[in-house]
Amino acid sequence: MVEGRRHTLRDIAATLDLSVNTVSRALSGKDGIGARTRALVRAEAERVGYVPNTLARSLVLGSAMTFGLVITNPSNPFYAQLISGIELRARAHGYSLLLAVTDESEEIEARAAESLLRSSVSGAIVVPVQGKVDPWRRLGGVGVPTVLINRDLPDLGYPFVGTDNALGAYQATAHAIARGARSIVVLEEDLPITTIEDRIAGFRRAMAEADLPVPRGSVISVPTRRYEEAALPWQPEQAYRVARRLLRRPALPDAVVVGNDYFALGLYRALHEHGLKVPGDMMVIGFGDYPFSEFLSPSLTTVRLPAQEVGSTAVDLLLEQIESPDAEPRKQLIAPTLVTRESTGPAIPRSRIPLT
């Protein structure tokens, strides 16, 4: 047996000195197979990690010509663009996509991985929940090339491509500082994922380079209700509630960097209700550059994410793994772009007291 190759019925039959038909009937629960034989077959199948090939095509030969794509939430505009980039590049190479959605659930993620195993995909592109790594370790263990996207699982050593979120947050923060901001607050998602950790790190680096304080309360988590069934990501109303509490502080920040443009919608409303102007009273910088962002009033300065480029690069990395299984896995970060609009205005002097 070649290491990393998917185990077949024939392998199990050879090990147990049984016919392929007997092994097949034992695993499918059909009549005519003794209890002892059935137990032996199932034990051996479990030992080697046998997975039924429901497409009846050889994974080793790559004849399925299908890539599995696992994402966390398709209503996220970033992932909509990401899927487009992946699909276009995959189709150009003759591959179709099999999509699975996890909704940030480890249980659903495990089922998605099992589904890809049973479907005999040629490879997988995965946005992991960043919980358990076992489902994706098992996928690679049976010879399915796998590329991680947007969120890395370093322990697996798989190829990875994502946005340089730390750079994006650094650019956003440095821009606000260049416009005169001296106290800056970040509104971020409440998920324990590396993309958020990276953005917070980029924010802190820009503040440190400008010798500006980052007091307690400078990073605020916004409940996104990702764990509720069928919940949409990034609820603007949650950002609105958080922003109302922020605006009750005795000293307001000069600028707010939000983790996505949807949060800016809630922040805009809270500011309007308090009679505050953007950018005169407070600058706002988003993350994502979604289609509505340039049509807000004032139009939103935001970090544009290279979603399609990340998607096409993921396909390239996966094809490299298929064509050269022994090649060193590559990890790549793609730089985002700061799009400057009205919500940060021209550079003006600021004299407010930093948050305490």
Side-chain angles (χ1 to χ4, degrees):
M1 171 61 71
V2 177
E3 182 67 26
R5 181 172 70 82
R6 183 188 295 260
H7 293 259
T8 66
L9 292 176
R10 190 176 300 279
D11 297 323
I12 298 172
T15 299
L16 299 177
D17 196 22
L18 298 171
S19 70
V20 172
N21 182 58
T22 297
V23 171
S24 176
R25 292 177 66 85
L27 290 175
S28 60
K30 293 184 178 179
D31 297 334
I33 304 296
R36 181 176 178 277
T37 299
R38 193 184 308 277
L40 286 171
V41 170
R42 289 180 175 174
E44 177 63 14
E46 178 69 20
R47 186 186 71 81
V48 300
Y50 169 74
V51 178
N53 183 347
T54 56
L55 294 184
R57 291 180 175 181
S58 168
L59 174 65
V60 177
L61 295 177
S63 57
M65 297 299 288
T66 301
F67 291 154
L69 174 59
V70 181
I71 62 173
T72 54
N73 198 315
S75 61
N76 179 333
F78 173 84
Y79 289 137
Q81 297 175 45
L82 183 77
I83 292 171
S84 175
I86 292 172
E87 198 278 331
L88 286 171
R89 185 61 61 91
R91 188 191 334 143
H93 289 274
Y95 289 85
S96 58
L97 295 181
L98 178 63
L99 177 65
V101 176
T102 64
D103 283 324
E104 300 288 358
S105 165
E106 291 182 11
E107 180 181 351
I108 297 175
E109 182 181 59
R111 293 203 299 266
E114 184 70 19
S115 176
L116 295 186
L117 283 167
R118 293 180 176 275
S119 299
S120 188
V121 293
S122 303
I125 298 173
V126 177
V127 179
V129 175
Q130 286 197 307
K132 298 177 180 177
V133 300
D134 292 347
W136 309 122
R137 178 177 284 121
R138 186 183 179 207
L139 203 67
V142 297
V144 181
T146 303
V147 171
L148 301 177
I149 193 168
N150 206 39
R151 308 173 185 176
D152 198 8
L153 296 171
D155 290 347
L156 294 180
Y158 289 171
F160 166 77
V161 57
T163 301
D164 192 337
N165 284 282
L167 175 61
Y170 175 86
Q171 291 173 331
T173 307
H175 173 72
I177 293 170
R179 287 290 194 267
R182 293 298 175 262
S183 58
I184 303 174
V185 163
V186 173
L187 300 187
E188 258 301 354
E189 299 179 71
D190 61 348
L191 291 178
I193 56 178
T194 54
T195 49
I196 295 173
E197 294 171 358
D198 290 344
R199 288 198 289 262
I200 293 173
F203 158 70
R204 291 185 180 277
R205 180 166 73 91
M207 296 293 282
E209 289 183 2
D211 198 24
L212 293 174
V214 182
R216 184 177 180 181
S218 295
V219 178
I220 304 174
S221 293
V222 179
T224 55
R225 300 191 297 182
R226 291 285 187 99
Y227 299 108
E228 294 183 12
E229 185 176 357
L232 293 175
W234 308 336
Q235 307 292 335
E237 65 268 24
Q238 298 295 334
Y240 165 72
R241 293 188 179 98
V242 169
R244 289 186 65 186
R245 292 195 294 272
L246 169 65
L247 296 179
R248 290 198 291 267
R249 292 183 177 183
L252 298 181
D254 297 324
V256 177
V257 177
V258 298
N260 61 78
D261 291 356
Y262 281 100
F263 286 176
L265 297 177
L267 177 58
Y268 267 36
R269 177 175 175 179
L271 289 167
H272 175 73
E273 290 179 354
H274 280 73
L276 298 174
K277 302 295 185 182
V278 178
D281 293 302
M282 187 180 296
M283 292 182 279
V284 179
I285 304 177
F287 226 91
D289 193 28
Y290 300 134
F292 62 81
S293 301
E294 66 175 309
F295 297 102
L296 293 177
S297 182
S299 57
L300 183 65
T301 293
T302 186
V303 177
R304 178 177 295 160
L305 304 179
Q308 288 213 340
E309 186 178 356
V310 169
S312 60
T313 301
V315 174
D316 292 341
L317 292 178
L318 187 55
L319 291 171
E320 287 180 12
Q321 290 292 300
I322 291 173
E323 295 167 3
S324 304
D326 297 326
E328 186 72 18
R330 290 198 294 128
K331 295 183 182 291
Q332 185 171 345
L333 289 177
I334 299 176
T337 304
L338 181 70
V339 180
T340 304
R341 299 194 180 105
E342 297 169 342
S343 67
T344 47
I348 56 175
R350 296 273 172 168
S351 59
R352 290 182 180 168
I353 302 173
L355 291 177
T356 58

